[in-house]
Amino acid sequence: MKTTRRCRSLLSISLNFFALFFSITAFITTYWCVGTQRVPKPKCSKLRTHQCIDYGVNETDPNKVVYSWETGDDRFLFRQFHTGIWYSCEENIHDESEMCRSFIDLAPASEKGMLWLSLVSEMLYIILLLVGFSLMCLDLVLSSNVIDGLKLNAFAAIFTVLSGLLGMVAHVMYTQVFQVTVSLGPPDWRPYNWVYGWSFCMAWASFTCCMGASVTTLNSYTKTVIEFRHKRKTFEQSIREENAREAFGYYRERSMQSISKSVEVYPSQSLKSSRKTPIPADSLDLSDIAGSLGEEQC
């Protein structure tokens, strides 16, 4: 029982650890959504001679009409961007660096409340995961005490289930906020196309591991309770059988003792009753005996 329970505890701790690691990684990274943004090409200059629009040598003459033969998507640059819960970063078209902006500032005013609620839910998700992980480790240390282990298992399962529910709500709310921001966000930020990134996958992998840890913990708690009750029932049954055997042996010994005493008492009484008491000779009256004999003959 102890070995199996220890293995289940190790499995729960492993799943909870991966859930905690994935959730923290997803929370601090900015690759929930990745894609491209379409921005107008800048004008060409001496420092920039490619990926730009060339207006000719007379571009400083205001009276000169300048034509650009680039049309459609040729007039735009497609820069990469990646967005997380906190920040959104995109390539700088003027150099090799990146520009990052707060995603809270990019979200529409109607979605800021939901975004803050998503952030709070994510933080509570990580905190409850950490509490559940601590309780599971404490349960592994106190694996010799079944009663304390059951209490820790129950609380760890409760905290893990609650954290999983909060994590699911937080992920769904952030997804909704991002989709609304794609449509109603600032024009210079709106993506041309986008997909979910590896941080988003890690967030849902964290939720999956969290649910697996909670199910494993509940299963461990249920199995431990069933095994404990079965062993207790078996122990009580063995105690009752042993008491019954002792009582049977006690009454049997008492009955044998009573029977042996009865056997010893009754023969002595029968022997005493079978013995005749002698009558003294001087107490006999011969005339009385002769009279009684004569009467019998008549």
Side-chain angles (χ1 to χ4, degrees):
M1 178 178 175
K2 185 185 295 186
T3 304
T4 308
R5 182 168 171 267
R6 188 178 182 85
C7 293
R8 291 195 296 264
S9 299
L10 287 174
L11 180 59
S12 301
I13 290 174
S14 301
L15 290 173
N16 200 308
F17 173 77
F18 283 116
L20 188 61
F21 174 75
F22 291 157
S23 63
I24 293 175
T25 304
F27 188 69
I28 63 178
T29 53
T30 58
Y31 287 88
W32 284 64
C33 300
V34 297
T36 57
Q37 295 171 335
R38 190 173 67 171
V39 295
K41 288 181 179 179
K43 291 189 297 184
C44 294
S45 63
K46 293 181 180 180
L47 299 177
R48 187 182 184 94
T49 58
H50 65 284
Q51 297 292 333
C52 59
I53 297 177
D54 188 5
Y55 289 102
V57 294
N58 296 322
E59 60 178 348
T60 58
D61 187 0
N63 298 321
K64 185 72 174 178
V65 179
V66 180
Y67 295 97
S68 175
W69 299 102
E70 294 183 349
T71 59
D73 289 341
D74 294 335
R75 299 173 53 247
F76 297 95
L77 286 177
F78 293 92
R79 64 182 181 185
Q80 302 292 323
F81 82 98
H82 50 92
T83 304
I85 293 181
W86 297 100
Y87 294 101
S88 176
C89 300
E90 58 264 2
E91 291 178 343
N92 192 346
I93 61 175
H94 300 289
D95 53 28
E96 299 283 332
S97 63
E98 282 188 343
M99 297 184 301
C100 293
R101 291 180 281 181
S102 174
F103 185 72
I104 299 174
D105 296 335
L106 296 173
S110 60
E111 301 297 323
K112 288 185 183 295
M114 184 175 291
L115 181 58
W116 278 110
L117 187 60
S118 173
L119 291 172
V120 173
S121 299
E122 285 285 349
M123 289 187 286
L124 288 176
Y125 170 56
I126 294 174
I127 292 173
L128 290 178
L129 270 179
L130 186 60
V131 172
F133 180 75
S134 303
L135 290 175
M136 289 178 187
C137 292
L138 191 60
D139 174 36
L140 186 64
V141 173
L142 301 176
S143 58
S144 57
N145 195 330
V146 180
I147 303 300
D148 292 341
L150 286 175
K151 295 178 181 178
L152 292 173
N153 256 332
F155 282 109
I158 292 172
F159 281 113
T160 309
V161 170
L162 289 177
S163 65
L165 294 176
L166 284 173
M168 181 184 66
V169 171
H171 302 343
V172 172
M173 286 192 297
Y174 175 79
T175 304
Q176 182 177 350
V177 171
F178 181 81
Q179 291 175 355
V180 174
T181 307
V182 168
S183 303
L184 303 177
D188 63 335
W189 177 86
R190 294 176 188 174
Y192 182 71
N193 53 37
W194 60 276
V195 293
Y196 293 111
W198 57 267
S199 296
F200 185 81
C201 297
M202 290 190 72
W204 283 106
S206 171
F207 169 75
T208 305
C209 292
C210 176
M211 288 293 99
S214 62
V215 170
T216 306
T217 307
L218 286 173
N219 186 30
S220 176
Y221 174 80
T222 305
K223 283 190 175 182
T224 304
V225 169
I226 292 174
E227 291 175 359
F228 182 75
R229 287 180 178 176
H230 177 70
K231 286 185 174 292
R232 182 177 179 180
K233 184 178 180 180
T234 305
F235 177 74
E236 291 177 353
Q237 186 176 359
S238 63
I239 291 296
R240 286 196 297 268
E241 292 177 355
E242 184 177 356
N243 292 335
R245 285 194 297 268
E246 291 179 356
F248 178 76
Y250 174 76
Y251 286 115
R252 182 179 179 183
E253 183 179 356
R254 290 292 301 273
S255 61
M256 292 296 292
Q257 290 178 357
S258 61
I259 292 173
S260 61
K261 288 181 180 180
S262 301
V263 170
E264 290 177 358
V265 170
Y266 289 137
S268 60
Q269 290 181 355
S270 60
L271 288 175
K272 289 180 180 180
S273 59
S274 60
R275 291 175 185 173
K276 294 182 178 179
T277 304
I279 301 173
D282 54 356
S283 63
L284 294 175
D285 191 356
L286 295 178
S287 60
D288 294 336
I289 295 173
S292 60
L293 290 176
E295 290 177 356
E296 290 179 358
Q297 289 177 359
C298 293

